[in-house]
Amino acid sequence: PFPVVRAAPDAVEDEKAARWRQRLWWLALAFVPSSLLVGVTTHIATDVASAPFLWAPPLMLYIASFIVVFARRPLIRWRHAVLVAPLLVGLALFSLTKASGIPTVPSFAVHLAVLFAAAVACHGQLAESRPATVRLTEFYLVMSLGGVLGGAFNALLAPLIFTTVAEYPLMLAAFLLLLPQRDWMGPIWVQVLAVVAAGLAVISMYVYRVPALAADGQTSFFVLLVLAFAGLYLVRRSRIGSAAAAVALWMIGFNSLPTAGGYSERGFFGVVHVREQAGYLTMVHGTTLHGAQHLGEDAYRPGTYYAPGTPMGQVFAAFTQPGEIGVIGLGAGSVACYAWPGQAYTFFEIDPVVVRLAGDPAWFSYLSECTPEARIVLGDGRLTLAAEPEGKFDILLVDAFSSDSIPVHLMTREAVALYLSRIREDGVLLLHVSSRYLALETVTARIADELGAPGQRQFHVLPSGGASALREQSSVVVALAHNEAALSELTEEMGWTELQSDGGRAWTDDYSNVAGAVWDRLVLKAP
């Protein structure tokens, strides 16, 4: 008989360790693109609109990456994606802040491109590392597990760990660590550049505290972003160096936002920030200001979009008789301080975090001081409003945004018809339609035309060198009513003009054209 040859114990242990390292490598290569898919989708859906049209492109690109890398003759080589990855990661981090000045459409294209490049690069390495046939089941099982864990990390764990949406930029940095054929540290000059990038991030923390830099804060941050971006590209051959530069670039962008510092709380509907800024206590959801209260003698003078000189401020300030006021979207509760004796306010708000912060006088005291008896209804504004009696409100304000995105179902013909049914015959419906990305005033005009509702609109733009943005902000507001008489006080001298439709198709519960609204914003370039 032939002798049985047994492997040495050390060799067996080494093989087991190698297999576990390989499994963890497969797991990481599947985890990061899956997490990036959710991160990119969340970013787009939060800052533009929560619409299936915008959810589909990231998912299609993610799935397409598997088709590309597992094809017999791939149209795109995954190593080509590796070459452009640092550039795309830098552009994606650069565009996450307003200081970058990158327009809407190119910004979306960059985020989609970095997702596709990351998915192709990571999945390409997975495809190349496929084991022998006998271990293929194990390979696909681990790859699937990594994808599940990536999505679960964003959906379940990240909201518990982070008070901001940090998982997307962190996964971009993690992706740079997974790129092949790179030094972990690199030569001394690469390490020095990485340290310089970290120094730029530290400097960004003090921009608003240094008068010379704060005088033109956006320009200061733009310069810091450009320098960090250049550093990221120069150290692209170093895994740790490029990841460090990416984190620095993200930190600079984060510090440039009005949400840096202060208190942050993350809930199901996103992140709510509260911080002191220029003598005001501000509430910011995502990247959009949702109200501010002065910390001095003007504490109960509504500011930002609701200041007396703004379109909404004009309407509320003119209504002094007893009546019912409805507000969909609480924010900091600014409009509460327009209340007169005999007026009853009802606020409809979906986010319990906002309700708690606005109702706590330790944070904002508009509600507690101006309308302590106000009724707050927690839930989706459209669904909860449907439970109210018809013809109840003298003024109904719809100002329901999640970051810069207004839920599409609140801007359809059926939704506006519901709002109109809940105001009196001489009542006024106010729609706050300001948006960086969507021409919502055009959407509203088409709906009003189909419903036969007369309307007025106002593009309120602050003159150069005017009031500070926290005291008063530019806004776009549409006023609708059952008849022309109800809008007679909204005159041209006050800045109001007749709302006119361009004849386009109105949004309905069965149809919405977010891409068209984005295009109209680019063409109209309204506030």
Side-chain angles (χ1 to χ4, degrees):
F2 293 98
V4 176
V5 180
R6 298 183 184 277
D10 290 344
V12 172
E13 291 300 321
D14 289 344
E15 184 180 356
K16 287 183 178 179
R19 286 201 174 190
W20 275 110
R21 285 194 298 270
Q22 187 179 47
R23 290 168 186 147
L24 291 175
W25 179 243
W26 292 340
L27 199 71
L29 290 173
F31 180 99
V32 170
S34 176
S35 178
L36 284 175
L37 167 65
V38 181
V40 170
T41 305
T42 300
H43 170 69
I44 293 176
T46 301
D47 279 347
V48 186
S50 184
F53 165 78
L54 296 174
W55 305 340
L59 180 59
M60 289 189 294
L61 291 174
Y62 177 79
I63 295 173
S65 69
F66 287 105
I67 299 173
V68 168
V69 301
F70 283 96
R72 289 183 178 273
R73 296 181 179 178
L75 296 175
I76 302 173
R77 299 289 179 181
W78 67 267
R79 294 188 183 277
H80 296 164
V82 170
L83 294 176
V84 299
L87 177 64
L88 291 175
V89 168
L91 287 173
L93 292 169
F94 190 69
S95 67
L96 285 176
T97 172
K98 296 179 183 178
S100 67
I102 296 180
T104 304
V105 172
S107 175
F108 296 160
V110 166
H111 291 295
L112 294 176
V114 76
L115 170 63
F116 185 64
V120 169
C122 291
H123 294 156
Q125 294 181 77
L126 275 172
E128 192 169 88
S129 64
R130 275 176 294 184
T133 305
V134 69
R135 293 184 60 202
L136 279 180
T137 301
E138 173 191 356
F139 170 74
Y140 288 117
L141 178 62
V142 173
M143 185 174 68
S144 301
L145 178 61
V148 170
L149 292 178
F153 170 75
N154 285 52
L156 303 177
L157 192 57
L160 301 178
I161 300 176
F162 306 119
T163 57
T164 61
V165 185
E167 58 271 20
Y168 176 33
L170 288 179
M171 282 301 111
L172 289 175
F175 164 57
L176 294 176
L177 292 174
L178 298 178
L179 294 182
Q181 298 180 346
R182 291 166 181 262
D183 299 324
W184 278 103
M185 290 298 297
I188 294 297
W189 68 269
V190 168
Q191 299 176 38
V192 170
L193 281 179
V195 172
V196 169
L200 295 175
V202 173
I203 292 174
S204 71
M205 299 171 62
Y206 298 94
V207 165
Y208 289 125
R209 302 181 188 180
V210 179
L213 297 176
D216 192 355
Q218 291 299 302
T219 301
S220 300
F221 277 112
F222 182 80
V223 172
L224 292 174
L225 286 168
V226 170
L227 292 175
F229 177 76
L232 171 58
Y233 183 75
L234 291 174
V235 301
R236 63 190 183 280
R237 301 303 300 176
S238 166
R239 290 184 178 182
I240 293 179
S242 58
V247 172
L249 182 57
W250 166 54
M251 290 181 62
I252 295 169
F254 177 78
N255 289 327
S256 72
L257 298 173
T259 58
Y263 173 78
S264 297
E265 185 169 343
R266 185 169 179 173
F268 181 81
F269 299 98
V271 180
V272 180
H273 309 267
V274 179
R275 76 182 292 262
E276 291 186 22
Q277 182 181 353
Y280 283 82
L281 191 66
T282 63
M283 177 185 286
V284 179
H285 189 282
T287 59
T288 300
L289 185 67
H290 279 215
Q293 185 167 16
H294 195 263
L295 296 174
E297 58 184 12
D298 288 336
Y300 302 112
R301 176 191 182 277
T304 64
Y305 310 104
Y306 319 100
T310 65
M312 289 182 284
Q314 292 172 359
V315 174
F316 277 92
F319 186 72
T320 58
Q321 62 267 33
E324 291 276 353
I325 312 294
V327 180
I328 298 179
L330 175 59
S334 305
V335 296
C337 284
Y338 283 108
W340 284 76
Q343 293 182 352
Y345 274 67
T346 301
F347 292 93
F348 303 88
E349 174 59 51
I350 196 172
D351 193 341
V353 174
V354 172
V355 171
R356 183 173 56 78
L357 293 175
D360 186 350
W363 293 111
F364 298 94
S365 56
Y366 286 126
L367 290 179
S368 59
E369 292 295 328
C370 299
T371 57
E373 303 299 324
R375 177 169 159 250
I376 299 180
V377 181
L378 187 63
D380 179 88
R382 180 171 170 182
L383 296 178
T384 51
L385 182 67
E388 300 294 318
E390 293 188 4
K392 176 179 180 178
F393 298 107
D394 295 277
I395 298 176
L396 178 60
L397 168 63
V398 180
D399 187 12
F401 283 78
S402 175
S403 188
D404 195 60
S405 163
I406 187 168
V408 171
H409 76 285
L410 296 182
M411 288 296 297
T412 65
R413 183 178 60 200
E414 292 83 354
V416 175
L418 171 66
Y419 306 150
L420 289 170
S421 71
R422 285 343 187 234
I423 63 173
R424 303 185 193 278
E425 191 62 27
D426 58 349
V428 175
L429 167 64
L430 289 177
L431 298 164
H432 185 195
V433 294
S434 304
S435 176
R436 296 192 297 269
Y437 304 119
L438 307 177
L440 295 176
E441 66 279 5
T442 302
V443 173
T444 309
R446 295 170 182 173
I447 293 172
D449 182 58
E450 290 197 5
L451 293 175
Q456 296 284 326
R457 68 175 180 178
Q458 184 178 157
F459 294 166
H460 178 69
V461 182
L462 293 181
S464 177
S468 72
L470 295 177
R471 183 175 177 84
E472 184 174 333
Q473 275 215 336
S474 301
S475 59
V476 185
V477 177
V478 170
L480 302 179
H482 293 295
N483 53 70
E484 296 282 358
L487 303 175
S488 60
E489 295 185 7
L490 306 182
T491 63
E492 189 171 346
E493 290 74 18
M494 298 169 63
W496 294 89
T497 59
E498 184 180 357
L499 183 68
Q500 294 182 341
S501 172
D502 61 0
R505 184 177 178 183
W507 287 8
T508 68
D509 287 346
D510 298 322
Y511 167 83
S512 60
N513 185 2
V514 175
V518 171
W519 175 254
D520 288 341
R521 164 60 66 243
L522 293 173
V523 173
L524 296 175
K525 298 186 181 301

